[in-house]
Amino acid sequence: MAIKEIVGLQYGDEGKGRASHFEAKNASIVIRSTGGCNAGHTVVANGVKYAMHLLPSSIIRPEVLSMIGPGVVADLKVLSEEIEQMRKANIQVEKSNFVISQRTHITLPHHRELDRLYEALRNNKVGTTGRGVGPTYEEKARRTNLRMIDLFLDEKDLKQKIELNLKNYNILSTNVNEQIQLGKIEAEKFLEITVEEEYNYCMKYKEIVKDFIADTYPIIEKAIEENKLIIIEGAQSFYLDNDHGDYPMTTSSNPNASGTVSGAGIGPTLVNEVIGVIKTYTSRVGNGPFITEQKNEIGDTIRELGHEYGTTTGRPRRTGWLDLVMIKHAKIPSGLTSLCVNHLDTIGNLPEIKVCIGYEYKGQTITNVPIDKENCKPIYKEFKGGWKTESATTFEELPKEAQDYIHFIEEFVGVPVKYIGVGADEKRTIVK
Ligand code: IMP
């Protein structure tokens, strides 16, 4: 039996989908367990690019059971459209290879409006993806939110639940719309959303998702009893985690390794491997501290070379050097057993490569991440770049400089590198 978890250690978009897709080769179940359609997982397999927001990347392997776990919040429309898009691309999405937990929470249209509303009320904007993910988690915590199982309620009971779920939005939007009218808040007016509209929304997409909704616990239990391989596919990342990340510039959930395993419905002692995914540089969408950010030609070059534009929003990502202090700091709270380092090919295009190995902080040199990151200035180590990885299929075939760079990461973080991404296609993964 083996249970492996794949989590991001930076600000999302590290290439978790690719690592998960690679691991899924031998898996019986792949579980997406946190976040919502704020995530954008891109997988390039057999020359075809698939962009997913909610479906686990294993969906392109019909022999694997892809699962959406209890910790996910799923927008019914986005999920339904993704299922249909996959089917159009001749990807099998059937009861036999896809299951959604009865406990998965539902994102409704008013959650998106709430997302916009909360941003309008703040001075220090988070820069959310605007997909209603934070407000869904908020209403989940408030115990007013709908779960997949609720789609099977009779009309009267479901409408009652929607009414309770909508109440907060109705009160807030009426109030804020009045203030917009008076010129006290600058924003587009917030939509009036009725119980009837959200009920119809539920009914429309229920048709597409209903056959997949099931109790996921017995399925996982059976797979564990049969010694099958289970992969838990993380979303977002350690530094977007509400408890351990750059709060309040975080996503409203716990995409750290513990939150990810919890969201799948599996206990921490059952996990054999935690694979932390990083890139050879850092990118961030949205606001918040970014110690190694390069708002200059280097940052622009990294953005273009790495195609750093949001899968979900299309926003150009902020870019900068790899910050190894951040990765090392995430080691213990993540319980890391190995690393997957993506974009070794991308960074090799630069003649000189920098890696952050410490911070100047209040007159001292430190190698940990303090809560007030904004007071840190990076201390860099330089590497000679200009390496090419095209012909390499093993670690030993990589140029010496690239090998040294990977060895340095391993030594600094104190965790072995297991996978190295040297190209967009998942076939361009070197197993070390
Ligand atoms: P939210 O999750 O839409 O509420 O956005 C909160 C913050 O997390 C924003 O900075 C987003 O850009 C960021 N974020 C959320 N999901 C992802 C992701 O999958 N990749 C990268 N950034 C993300």
Side-chain angles (χ1 to χ4, degrees):
M1 185 258 294
I3 300 183
K4 299 184 187 182
E5 229 193 309
I6 293 158
V7 290
L9 298 183
Q10 293 166 314
Y11 294 111
D13 310 309
E14 299 93 350
K16 294 176 289 292
R18 164 224 188 92
S20 163
H21 183 67
F22 194 84
E23 282 283 354
K25 269 184 194 139
N26 305 312
S28 98
I29 308 178
V30 175
I31 314 171
R32 165 80 194 271
S33 62
T34 55
C37 59
N38 45 357
H41 286 177
T42 313
V43 178
V44 183
N46 302 321
V48 184
K49 186 172 171 182
Y50 302 95
M52 292 162 229
H53 299 286
L54 283 163
L55 293 173
S57 53
S58 54
I59 201 74
I60 51 191
R61 297 186 187 281
E63 69 284 6
V64 176
L65 178 67
S66 296
M67 184 182 282
I68 293 186
V72 171
V73 298
D75 185 317
L76 289 177
K77 180 170 186 275
V78 175
L79 179 57
S80 302
E81 285 174 357
E82 235 173 275
I83 293 169
E84 294 196 324
Q85 267 167 22
M86 285 296 158
R87 285 177 169 161
K88 270 194 201 134
N90 288 323
I91 302 289
Q92 178 186 315
V93 188
E94 300 297 340
K95 263 176 103 164
S96 57
N97 73 314
F98 179 49
V99 59
I100 307 167
S101 165
Q102 297 165 323
R103 292 171 181 268
T104 300
H105 276 256
I106 294 175
T107 299
L108 289 173
H110 78 268
H111 292 122
R112 282 190 184 228
E113 282 297 273
L114 265 180
D115 207 340
R116 192 163 71 80
L117 188 149
Y118 291 142
E119 283 283 82
L121 294 183
R122 319 176 55 112
N123 290 330
N124 60 338
K125 313 251 181 255
V126 177
T128 73
T129 59
R131 298 298 192 264
V133 170
T136 314
Y137 278 114
E138 176 206 357
E139 296 194 332
K140 167 181 168 172
R142 197 134 38 86
R143 292 154 297 182
T144 56
N145 208 59
L146 263 59
R147 297 183 297 176
M148 289 292 171
I149 192 71
D150 295 320
L151 295 176
F152 300 100
L153 286 171
D154 65 29
E155 182 175 344
K156 184 169 147 282
D157 289 342
L158 180 53
K159 282 187 173 168
Q160 250 177 24
K161 283 211 167 188
I162 295 174
E163 194 179 355
L164 178 65
N165 195 217
L166 255 177
K167 212 162 242 167
N168 173 57
Y169 172 68
N170 279 338
I171 295 169
L172 268 174
S173 59
T174 308
N175 181 302
V176 172
N177 278 342
E178 278 168 17
Q179 298 195 50
I180 293 173
Q181 189 91 16
L182 295 170
K184 290 187 180 164
I185 292 179
E186 221 176 287
E188 289 269 312
K189 274 200 152 187
F190 294 91
L191 298 176
E192 197 184 308
I193 298 176
T194 63
V195 173
E196 201 61 28
E197 275 172 83
E198 293 211 324
Y199 175 78
N200 291 339
Y201 187 90
C202 288
M203 289 303 104
K204 180 174 175 188
Y205 298 111
K206 176 187 174 183
E207 279 317 299
I208 299 166
V209 301
K210 67 175 193 290
D211 289 344
F212 304 114
I213 300 169
D215 183 356
T216 51
Y217 299 101
I219 305 172
I220 293 174
E221 193 178 329
K222 186 162 176 281
I224 291 176
E225 275 167 12
E226 291 173 357
N227 281 331
K228 299 275 174 61
L229 173 65
I230 299 175
I231 305 298
I232 310 172
E233 179 178 297
Q236 285 86 45
S237 65
F238 186 82
Y239 287 95
L240 290 175
D241 186 281
N242 242 12
D243 294 335
H244 306 289
D246 301 337
Y247 188 87
M249 298 299 157
T250 45
T251 191
S252 300
S253 60
N254 290 111
N256 73 76
S258 311
T260 301
V261 69
S262 166
I266 296 177
T269 52
L270 296 173
V271 176
N272 307 82
E273 281 189 39
V274 179
I275 305 168
V277 186
I278 64 170
K279 291 190 282 207
T280 51
Y281 51 87
T282 312
S283 72
R284 179 166 200 164
V285 245
N287 300 326
F290 187 165
I291 299 171
T292 57
E293 183 167 19
Q294 298 297 302
K295 288 185 188 167
N296 52 31
E297 251 178 56
I298 291 170
D300 294 343
T301 308
I302 293 175
R303 184 177 310 106
E304 293 315 311
L305 289 171
H307 310 290
E308 292 298 341
Y309 293 88
T311 319
T312 302
T313 58
R315 286 183 285 183
R317 295 179 184 143
R318 297 160 66 195
T319 46
W321 296 116
L322 171 61
D323 185 342
L324 278 184
V325 183
M326 274 174 61
I327 309 305
K328 190 175 175 200
H329 172 88
K331 177 171 101 171
I332 300 292
S334 309
L336 285 187
T337 58
S338 65
L339 288 171
C340 166
V341 181
N342 285 327
H343 284 280
L344 187 69
D345 54 326
T346 307
I347 207 75
N349 286 305
L350 301 180
E352 270 162 16
I353 301 163
K354 286 187 184 175
V355 169
C356 176
I357 53 163
Y359 305 136
E360 269 174 40
Y361 174 75
K362 298 182 177 168
Q364 284 181 304
T365 299
I366 58 168
T367 51
N368 61 299
V369 180
I371 195 163
D372 50 342
K373 264 181 168 178
E374 53 286 353
N375 291 320
C376 292
K377 285 211 177 76
I379 300 168
Y380 291 114
K381 176 176 167 65
E382 281 197 23
F383 288 83
K384 193 171 161 293
W387 60 62
K388 294 273 172 269
T389 58
E390 282 110 49
S391 57
T393 54
T394 63
F395 184 72
E396 290 67 33
E397 284 167 15
L398 285 170
K400 165 99 177 37
E401 293 81 2
Q403 289 190 23
D404 289 347
Y405 177 85
I406 294 292
H407 281 144
F408 183 80
I409 293 175
E410 288 182 316
E411 271 159 37
F412 190 91
V413 182
V415 170
V417 171
K418 184 173 181 185
Y419 295 122
I420 302 167
V422 289
D425 197 296
E426 59 102 19
K427 286 203 184 88
R428 298 298 296 131
T429 305
I430 290 178
V431 183
K432 188 168 166 289

